[in-house]
Amino acid sequence: MLKGTKIYSIFTGACPKCHNESMYKTKNPYHLSDVLKINDNCSKCGTRYRLEPSFFYGSMYVSYGVGIAFAVAAFIISYVFLNSTLLTAFLAIVGTLILLGPIIMRLSRNIWINMFMSYDKALAEKSKA
C-alpha cells in the first residue's frame, strides 16, 4: 500500500530507489553484531548505498532527534498517562533508549539515506523482472 513512498523505505529499510530489497545484511536489528552491516549495492537495481566514504556519519544527527522523540514519548506515557514519579519516568526513558537503541540506529540511517535518494518507479519495474 505504501510502497513507492519514503515512509515505506524508512520503516522497512528497503532500497530507497526500488523498494525491492532490504539494505541490511540481516533484517533483525537485535542481531547486534550485524545491526549496522549494510549491503554495498542493491542486488535488484544496483543502487550504491554508500554514496561516499563515511556517508552514514550524518545519520548520527538524525539519531539524536529520533532518540529525543522516543525519550519524550516515554516520558509522556510514563509521567502523564501512568502518573508515575519523576524517577520512574527517568528510568522509563533510559529503558526505552536502551531497548530501542538498535531500532533507533537503523531508523536514523533509513531517514538519512532517504533524504538523498528517491523512489524511481521505472527502475523498480525494471528491477522486478
Side-chain angles (χ1 to χ4, degrees):
M1 182 168 113
L2 293 174
K3 199 166 187 178
T5 64
K6 287 190 181 281
I7 297 292
Y8 178 83
S9 179
I10 288 169
F11 285 113
T12 61
C15 171
K17 287 278 191 184
C18 72
H19 294 185
N20 290 327
E21 176 184 73
S22 175
M23 293 189 305
Y24 299 97
K25 294 187 181 211
T26 306
K27 283 198 142 194
N28 183 359
Y30 288 100
H31 193 264
L32 297 179
S33 63
D34 294 336
V35 71
L36 296 178
K37 289 187 180 171
I38 196 166
N39 295 317
D40 292 327
N41 299 324
C42 176
S43 66
K44 305 290 184 184
C45 69
T47 299
R48 273 190 28 224
Y49 296 131
R50 297 179 196 277
L51 301 178
E52 59 187 36
S54 306
F55 172 70
F56 286 106
Y57 281 172
S59 69
M60 290 187 296
Y61 297 104
V62 176
S63 179
Y64 179 76
V66 172
I68 294 296
F70 276 89
V72 167
F75 175 77
I76 290 172
I77 290 169
S78 65
Y79 190 72
V80 175
F81 292 127
L82 301 177
N83 295 324
S84 68
T85 65
L86 211 50
L87 177 62
T88 307
F90 174 74
L91 293 175
I93 292 169
V94 171
T96 298
L97 292 177
I98 289 172
L99 290 175
L100 298 178
I103 291 173
I104 291 171
M105 284 190 281
R106 281 207 175 170
L107 192 60
S108 300
R109 280 184 160 216
N110 297 346
I111 291 169
W112 184 251
I113 198 166
N114 274 280
M115 290 170 71
F116 298 95
M117 292 185 186
S118 295
Y119 180 73
D120 185 346
K121 189 174 184 175
L123 184 65
E125 293 297 323
K126 190 170 96 173
S127 66
K128 274 185 184 177

